[in-house]
Amino acid sequence: MKVYYEIKTTEIKPYTYRTPLVSVDEHGELFVEYSKQSPTYIKRVTLLNLVGREESGKVISYEPMDYVNRFLLAHHIEEDKQESDQYSKGLVHFFSFLIDSQELWDEGYDEDFYDELVDLPRPRWDWFPPTKSKKITYQYRAALKKAVLDESDPSRRIARTTATAYMNAVTKFYSFHLRSGYEFNNKPFEHEVIPLHFTAGGTNMQAYMAIDIHTTDLRLNFGKSKRNDGGALPSTRRDLRPLANGEWKQVEKILTDTQKVVKNVGGELKLVSLPIEFCLFFLVSRYTGLRKEEVASLHLGQIVRPDLTKPLMRIGVGGEYGSLTKTKGGGNKSRRTIIPTCTMRLLYNYSRSDRYQKRLAKFKALCEVKRVEGNEAFFAAEDSIHENKEYLFISQTGVPLFTKPTEANTRWNEIRATVEKKTGRKIEGTIHNLRSTFAVALFRTLLRKTAPDIAFAQVSECLGHEDFTTTQKYLQIAQDEPTGDEIYEDVLDYIGVFDCINVDDSDLIHGEVNDEQ
């Protein structure tokens, strides 16, 4: 009987880890308790399992991959990290590649001709031949590079950043086992530990400190893109490309008019309703420039009844305003952006609807259940839920959407599929492209009212960029890939002024858009 193997994942969120303590009871029997001191709160951990199936698809084995899961948990517990999804995804891809390699070996295996002194054994994650090119780690690197540079099938092609992240997960995984003293027959890759000594800070009692730097030759090195003459802003940055005006109009029609999308239901494509929460979610993303996580964490304290005599108003995000934002180097830096009053009115009306009140009640009931269960991680983890906060975007089951960001991705993909089916025009990009659309459209509008350098600084402020060069990338992409759409015209005319700007005036950095504009 032939058995087919695959990698399946198990997600645990949130999760509280307590140190196990082994003791001996009065009868001399061992028992385990768990320390109540310094628990580790993990936002989410995705564990890997090896599943075996018969040809009929029936599951005949289900085995947790302890050697992988120990690494993932150590990433949280020893390094105090909240998430490890990037490593989980990379290792799912790597071990799937290993399974494919094992199947190829099985197909070519012949018991009569196999010589264990000459022929390589069946590939394993923890056994490596002495020759570098024969090691599964280097074969995986070669496969990733091919998938990036030479894959003709778009569905199998991998982005450079994704391939690099996958390779990094593999090196981290094996480095963990090397540090832990795991004895491989041969090293999985060239590995060296270099001690780095440096002067300690003034608050440290020691004069000098040292850290170990782990280096490896198992890296993916890609040359500069041939497009854009190998420049720093290649046109392959699809994540920064704004939607063309025609593309956005099709999306906006779905969000404000039909509110229906094409969805796969039982293997059949059907037109179904798009929940109002996601219609509002994407409208806010487009007209405020907020990141996906920032929109998802909005709460009623940020929603007000707008003055409809003014087209625009301010909205704040970040720690000062009780919501989440992305800050380079960590933290929750506050900032303000703009929002059309008509969009704020939609949010305000929704917050007063029976539909929202029912979801809010389910959220509060869920918090009560978690308290009774003693699930401290639900409230205490980084970016955790605050039970007294009235989140705006809540799922039907009472879970705030900022804890399940992949659901917004799914709804966005349904919108893209609907536009393509209706118009035949494929929309590239993710929810983040709505942020780029906001940036280009705002810049174009401001140029009609103020000088280019002031407009640029104001756009940068709304986006929350500490470095002006990041904002420049959002606008530069419109020049790299012109479409002829009117939304780009002013950008193309004025983009050159940024090449020589040296903004050091605080008025530019903190300039604001007048609410009456």
Side-chain angles (χ1 to χ4, degrees):
M1 179 183 66
K2 184 174 177 59
V3 180
Y4 297 89
Y5 290 95
E6 61 181 332
I7 307 299
K8 289 294 185 179
T9 59
T10 302
E11 185 180 84
I12 303 176
K13 63 175 187 179
Y15 175 65
T16 303
Y17 174 83
R18 297 183 183 276
T19 304
L21 304 173
V22 180
S23 304
V24 180
D25 63 18
E26 57 185 2
H27 304 293
E29 299 290 336
L30 296 177
F31 70 96
V32 178
E33 293 181 311
Y34 294 92
S35 173
K36 297 181 180 180
Q37 302 295 322
S38 303
T40 300
Y41 299 112
I42 301 174
K43 185 176 180 180
R44 178 174 60 247
V45 58
T46 302
L47 305 177
L48 274 60
N49 309 281
L50 182 63
V51 179
R53 297 180 185 272
E54 295 179 345
E55 291 187 58
S56 63
K58 179 182 178 181
V59 175
I60 60 173
S61 65
Y62 194 99
E63 178 185 357
M65 300 171 67
D66 294 337
Y67 42 92
V68 175
N69 297 334
R70 279 196 298 269
F71 157 70
L72 296 172
L73 286 174
H75 176 71
H76 292 281
I77 298 166
E78 297 176 7
E79 300 183 30
D80 196 27
K81 301 296 184 181
Q82 288 289 310
E83 297 189 52
S84 57
D85 273 3
Q86 188 177 51
Y87 291 153
S88 297
K89 291 176 182 177
L91 292 173
V92 166
H93 193 266
F94 170 69
F95 280 96
S96 297
F97 173 79
L98 175 59
I99 290 173
D100 291 341
S101 300
Q102 290 173 337
E103 290 181 352
L104 288 174
W105 188 94
D106 292 341
E107 290 175 4
Y109 175 72
D110 189 319
E111 185 177 1
D112 295 330
F113 292 96
Y114 179 75
D115 186 346
E116 64 180 12
L117 298 178
V118 178
D119 299 316
L120 291 175
R122 192 171 190 265
R124 288 167 35 188
W125 77 271
D126 58 350
W127 189 96
F128 300 95
T131 305
K132 180 183 292 188
S133 62
K134 301 296 183 181
K135 295 181 179 183
I136 192 67
T137 46
Y138 290 93
Q139 291 177 348
Y140 179 65
R141 182 181 67 174
L144 282 177
K145 203 163 188 176
K146 182 179 180 180
V148 172
L149 303 177
D150 303 324
E151 180 56 61
S152 57
D153 184 353
S155 64
R156 298 175 61 88
R157 194 177 303 145
I158 298 178
R160 298 183 182 207
T161 52
T162 301
T164 301
Y166 285 174
M167 196 74 260
N168 181 57
V170 173
T171 56
K172 290 285 188 180
F173 166 72
Y174 279 107
S175 295
F176 164 78
H177 284 285
L178 288 168
R179 292 196 309 271
S180 302
Y182 192 96
E183 294 186 5
F184 296 98
N185 64 311
N186 288 299
K187 289 184 178 180
F189 44 71
E190 295 298 324
H191 179 263
E192 184 179 4
V193 180
I194 302 175
L196 177 64
H197 300 272
F198 57 95
T199 304
T203 59
N204 199 296
M205 296 182 65
Q206 298 179 352
Y208 297 94
M209 298 185 69
I211 58 174
D212 290 336
I213 305 297
H214 293 259
T215 65
T216 173
D217 65 339
L218 195 67
R219 295 188 182 90
L220 275 174
N221 296 315
F222 295 109
K224 290 183 178 180
S225 173
K226 293 181 180 179
R227 302 176 70 181
N228 196 36
D229 297 325
L233 296 167
S235 56
T236 51
R237 287 297 304 273
R238 298 289 178 181
D239 59 317
L240 297 183
R241 181 180 180 179
L243 270 63
N245 192 50
E247 293 174 330
W248 168 246
K249 290 301 181 184
Q250 291 296 329
V251 172
E252 189 172 37
K253 186 176 181 179
I254 293 174
L255 302 180
T256 61
D257 185 10
T258 67
Q259 296 186 353
K260 290 184 179 297
V261 292
V262 174
K263 187 175 182 179
N264 190 320
V265 181
E268 182 181 351
L269 291 179
K270 294 185 178 181
L271 198 62
V272 300
S273 296
L274 178 66
I276 183 62
E277 289 77 17
F278 290 102
C279 294
L280 296 173
F281 189 101
F282 297 129
L283 286 171
V284 173
S285 300
R286 161 60 181 87
Y287 286 114
T288 64
L290 295 179
R291 301 176 181 90
K292 175 177 62 178
E293 298 79 6
E294 295 168 342
V295 177
S297 67
L298 292 175
H299 57 87
L300 293 196
Q302 296 162 289
I303 308 303
V304 298
R305 184 173 184 176
D307 181 355
L308 297 180
T309 63
K310 298 180 179 180
L312 291 174
M313 59 185 296
R314 284 286 187 170
I315 183 170
V317 293
E320 180 182 345
Y321 303 96
S323 63
L324 303 176
T325 189
K326 180 181 177 182
T327 304
K328 185 177 181 180
N332 193 19
K333 185 178 179 180
S334 303
R335 78 173 191 279
R336 292 200 300 163
T337 184
I338 57 173
I339 183 172
T341 51
C342 59
T343 305
M344 178 62 80
R345 180 176 60 178
L346 292 175
L347 299 180
Y348 178 76
N349 290 342
Y350 170 72
S351 70
R352 298 171 65 84
S353 67
D354 291 340
R355 178 185 175 97
Y356 171 73
Q357 294 302 324
K358 290 178 180 177
R359 295 193 173 211
L360 182 61
K362 287 184 178 180
F363 165 67
K364 293 184 180 299
L366 177 64
C367 290
E368 290 181 8
V369 170
K370 296 297 182 181
R371 283 295 184 194
V372 172
E373 293 176 347
N375 191 339
E376 299 175 26
F378 190 76
F379 305 100
E382 185 179 299
D383 299 345
S384 62
I385 288 173
H386 293 267
E387 56 191 314
N388 296 322
K389 194 171 290 182
E390 298 175 319
Y391 295 102
L392 181 64
F393 296 112
I394 303 174
S395 73
Q396 191 174 5
T397 58
V399 179
L401 290 188
F402 78 87
T403 67
K404 43 192 310 186
T406 55
E407 190 165 338
N409 296 340
T410 302
R411 302 288 85 79
W412 175 250
N413 289 335
E414 292 170 356
I415 290 175
R416 292 173 55 202
T418 305
V419 172
E420 183 176 3
K421 186 173 180 62
K422 181 178 179 181
T423 67
R425 185 175 185 178
K426 187 175 182 179
I427 295 181
E428 299 285 350
T430 65
I431 300 172
H432 195 76
N433 292 81
L434 297 177
R435 180 169 161 86
S436 306
T437 308
F438 164 82
V440 174
L442 177 59
F443 180 69
R444 179 175 180 266
T445 300
L446 290 175
L447 284 175
R448 299 169 182 165
K449 302 175 180 292
T450 187
D453 52 352
I454 300 293
F456 179 73
Q458 291 175 337
V459 171
S460 185
E461 180 201 8
C462 287
L463 294 177
H465 290 155
E466 297 182 2
D467 187 347
F468 274 16
T469 59
T470 306
T471 307
Q472 185 174 346
K473 291 178 182 179
Y474 276 75
L475 303 179
Q476 183 75 42
I477 198 70
Q479 185 183 42
D480 290 340
E481 293 190 1
T483 67
D485 197 289
E486 64 176 2
I487 197 172
Y488 303 105
E489 292 176 0
D490 290 313
V491 176
L492 297 177
D493 290 338
Y494 290 94
I495 195 70
V497 303
F498 302 135
D499 295 338
C500 58
I501 285 181
N502 182 17
V503 180
D504 57 4
D505 191 326
S506 60
D507 290 338
L508 300 186
I509 298 175
H510 301 291
E512 295 188 358
V513 179
N514 192 302
D515 284 348
E516 297 183 355
Q517 289 180 347

